Amino acid sequence: MRAELYHRSVVAVLILLLTVPVLATLLYSLSEHWGATILPDDLSLSWYLQLWQDSAFLAAFGRSLAVCLGTLLLATLIIVPAVFVVFYRFPGLDKLMNALILIPFAVPPVVTSVGLLNIYADGPLNITGTPWILVGCYFTIALPFMYRSLANSLASINVRDLMDAAHLLGASTPVAFLRVILPNLRKGLMASLFLAFSFLLGDFVFANLLAGSHYETLQVYLYNMRQTSGHFTSAIVMSYFLFTLFLTWLTARFSK
Amino acid sequence: MSYVEASGLAKKYGNATIFQDIHFSLRKGEFVTLLGPSGCGKSTLLRSLAGLTDIDAGCIRVDGEDITRAAPQKRGIGMVFQSYALFPNMSVEQNIAFGLKLQKLPGSEIARKVADVIRLVALSGKEQHYPHELSGGQRQRVALARALVVEPRILLLDEPLSALDARIRKSLREQIRDIQQRLGLTTVFVTHDQEEALTMSDRIFVMDQGRIVQEGSAEMIYTRPATEFVARFMGSYNLLTPTEASRLLQLETRGHLAIRPEAIQIFTPGQAYPAHLSAPLPATIRQHQLLGNVIRYQVQAHGITLQVDQLNRRAEDLLAAGTEVNLMIDQQQMREVH
């Protein structure tokens, strides 16, 4: 009985710790004013209306979406065939790949950014301040999510036997890949895409250092808006939070 | 006239020889088994026939056509894998129709052929099921149907029964043999299970360390093993060294003497025994194992332990450990192997 009470209180405190800041932010974003009183004076959606009518916000949101979706499209086109080749032709490379995909996380983002700035700030490839440098950089961030998830999917099917069976039934390697292997990667691919997407959408360090105000993304916009009303920034945070929540739900759905 | 001819096949991975000096020919409609322990090269040899593994030397001909360098898609060979290799994203029907769709046959013809082969492997009613919804035996029958439906010139079976439990294995091997005979399909079967090989094959090729060490009918391989390896591999042969043979039977041999456990008879003292057999050999029962219809005795004679199989006729005939008996060994059934 005592043990159960203890367990319940631990869980309750944890849930409280996690939800109070979010609920407070939500409440703050919904209140017109919140000054000397314990509870807000009057609730309204006015900050949200103001936010979603702000062309700078919409543009920043659009830029974030463009960079993230562009990155993930590029990543899908490159990583899916690459993982397949590793598993089908060069299984020995899997170990090397597992070490390689750690690098983007092992090197702190600031260090990576400084390195990238040094290389791409002038010729021959001067792409600092453009979305292209973000796409390239985000690709390396998406790689670990996608590689691991696809590798798990491939490990769960017998790639070699499936390919051999398809070959013997008359399929060429590309046909066998498209019709036999790819459909089995769909779940893993979708889950990793959503995960990588919500991760990339939340990036501030790379976006700020590599592109900054030349290409203002959602997080940079949020940062630039820090001097405006707290109610307004709360509305930005909540909009972003709900959007990622939706993506997380989708991830969970596709991982099943 | 041989339908399939393989000559001088050899394969190496680095310095390791997988198989070498492989020659054989198969008649049309013949069921041949490559039998050997794991690592003897039998599966790689089978994959080479399918074109899934390149060979370093040699030539493979099917119906007079040289297919040594042909792509797997062009060989007209069907294969069933140990892992079933069913496409997880496709239903039973889609799995089976896969090869036919690639041949771009009209839909009605595909439907007819798929229905026919589903009936042949007794899977009616399972058409819309997915592989994960089927039992191991059913999956293997789907794999068989998928290989058969494209009407291959040769069917290759790579240990298709090893992942199944004993009862299913037995019924499925009868089914496979039955279908093979009905279709008159030239079939190469790979297994490490002697019983499977003996019950299913027209001919058996026994492989050891990348070579075919003996080939012949099931009957011949079982009763006349050519080498010590075959004798050991084919079952519970008693193998006597030349010294043991001389001590036990006063026989001078250069190689090992192989005696099948069922070629030895046990006579209890006082029991009448046929006069044409050799002089009785006194022995003691050490222990017995019940194998169902057969009782396998460990019997000791002159300090040498022999295995003797007796039909399990009546429970009261069972001989307890320590019983003194006489052994009769049919000299005709002894084989000297090297």
Side-chain angles (χ1 to χ4, degrees), chain B residues 68-183:
Chain B
T68 317
R69 301 283 160 217
Q73 293 90 333
K74 309 277 179 214
R75 294 192 179 206
I77 287 181
M79 185 158 167
V80 175
F81 297 81
Q82 184 182 354
S83 67
Y84 320 124
L86 294 181
F87 307 138
N89 53 309
M90 298 182 199
S91 66
V92 168
E93 203 169 38
Q94 290 167 331
N95 261 285
I96 297 174
F98 185 81
L100 298 174
K101 281 188 181 154
L102 289 171
Q103 290 177 4
K104 302 215 172 6
L105 295 183
S108 57
E109 200 178 335
I110 293 180
R112 185 180 54 75
K113 287 189 172 199
V114 170
D116 284 350
V117 80
I118 284 182
R119 219 171 304 123
L120 183 71
V121 297
L123 276 171
S124 303
K126 300 281 179 197
E127 292 85 347
Q128 304 310 324
H129 285 57
Y130 280 82
H132 70 268
E133 299 168 326
L134 302 176
S135 70
Q138 290 170 336
R139 285 183 209 180
Q140 202 52 293
R141 279 186 282 152
V142 177
L144 183 65
R146 189 179 62 178
L148 290 176
V149 79
V150 292
E151 294 166 21
R153 296 192 287 181
I154 313 171
L155 178 66
L156 307 180
L157 305 164
D158 188 8
E159 307 221 18
L161 308 174
S162 354
L164 303 170
D165 65 53
R167 204 170 51 83
I168 307 283
R169 204 157 57 209
K170 217 165 174 181
S171 82
L172 196 51
R173 80 182 176 211
E174 281 162 15
Q175 245 179 323
I176 291 177
R177 179 62 165 150
D178 178 53
I179 290 172
Q180 180 268 335
Q181 283 183 325
R182 250 196 284 169
L183 303 179

Side-chain angles (χ1 to χ4, degrees), chain B residues 19-304:
Chain B
F19 55 79
Q20 59 181 334
D21 203 22
I22 300 280
H23 298 266
F24 62 80
S25 59
L26 315 178
R27 289 186 302 277
K28 197 168 168 59
E30 197 176 19
F31 193 113
V32 166
T33 297
L34 297 177
L35 174 68
S38 25
C40 73
K42 56 189 189 304
S43 282
T44 316
L45 177 57
L46 196 76
R47 292 177 58 84
S48 301
L49 292 180
L52 299 172
T53 302
D54 291 335
I55 48 172
D56 301 335
C59 173
I60 306 168
R61 288 178 170 278
V62 177
D63 206 5
E65 179 196 346
D66 185 347
I67 58 157
T68 317
R69 301 283 160 217
Q73 293 90 333
K74 309 277 179 214
R75 294 192 179 206
I77 287 181
M79 185 158 167
V80 175
F81 297 81
Q82 184 182 354
S83 67
Y84 320 124
L86 294 181
F87 307 138
N89 53 309
M90 298 182 199
S91 66
V92 168
E93 203 169 38
Q94 290 167 331
N95 261 285
I96 297 174
F98 185 81
L100 298 174
K101 281 188 181 154
L102 289 171
Q103 290 177 4
K104 302 215 172 6
L105 295 183
S108 57
E109 200 178 335
I110 293 180
R112 185 180 54 75
K113 287 189 172 199
V114 170
D116 284 350
V117 80
I118 284 182
R119 219 171 304 123
L120 183 71
V121 297
L123 276 171
S124 303
K126 300 281 179 197
E127 292 85 347
Q128 304 310 324
H129 285 57
Y130 280 82
H132 70 268
E133 299 168 326
L134 302 176
S135 70
Q138 290 170 336
R139 285 183 209 180
Q140 202 52 293
R141 279 186 282 152
V142 177
L144 183 65
R146 189 179 62 178
L148 290 176
V149 79
V150 292
E151 294 166 21
R153 296 192 287 181
I154 313 171
L155 178 66
L156 307 180
L157 305 164
D158 188 8
E159 307 221 18
L161 308 174
S162 354
L164 303 170
D165 65 53
R167 204 170 51 83
I168 307 283
R169 204 157 57 209
K170 217 165 174 181
S171 82
L172 196 51
R173 80 182 176 211
E174 281 162 15
Q175 245 179 323
I176 291 177
R177 179 62 165 150
D178 178 53
I179 290 172
Q180 180 268 335
Q181 283 183 325
R182 250 196 284 169
L183 303 179
L185 199 56
T186 313
T187 303
V188 184
F189 181 81
V190 159
T191 184
H192 60 265
D193 185 313
Q194 308 85 325
E195 196 186 316
E196 255 169 43
L198 291 172
T199 49
M200 296 175 82
S201 327
D202 293 319
R203 266 194 305 158
I204 299 175
F205 298 168
V206 184
M207 284 188 72
D208 179 33
Q209 295 179 5
R211 291 173 186 275
I212 295 177
V213 289
Q214 189 176 5
E215 65 167 277
S217 67
E219 166 76 9
M220 193 188 113
I221 297 277
Y222 185 67
T223 54
R224 281 180 280 165
T227 67
E228 187 192 333
F229 167 80
V230 179
R232 279 189 199 282
F233 190 73
M234 285 316 292
S236 36
Y237 263 94
N238 293 294
L239 279 167
L240 305 180
T241 59
T243 353
E244 287 174 330
S246 135
R247 181 152 48 122
L248 199 66
L249 304 161
Q250 291 78 49
L251 285 176
E252 294 306 316
T253 58
R254 280 186 296 152
H256 280 68
L257 195 65
I259 310 168
R260 279 183 291 127
E262 66 271 25
I264 307 177
Q265 280 179 276
I266 298 179
F267 288 89
T268 47
Q271 197 180 352
Y273 53 83
H276 70 272
L277 293 179
S278 59
L281 187 68
T284 313
I285 304 282
R286 286 286 169 233
Q287 54 173 311
H288 70 263
Q289 255 179 309
L290 194 62
L291 308 177
N293 56 342
V294 165
I295 306 168
R296 175 158 298 168
Y297 289 102
Q298 308 280 335
V299 178
Q300 204 164 37
H302 295 290
I304 298 161

Side-chain angles (χ1 to χ4, degrees), chain A residues 85-121:
Chain A
V85 168
V86 166
F87 268 72
Y88 182 50
R89 287 278 176 211
F90 310 104
L93 282 182
D94 186 42
K95 276 187 185 159
L96 178 71
M97 289 302 293
N98 279 322
L100 275 180
I101 60 172
L102 282 181
I103 296 177
F105 284 118
V107 181
V110 176
V111 177
T112 311
S113 302
V114 173
L116 290 173
L117 282 175
N118 270 327
I119 297 173
Y120 296 109

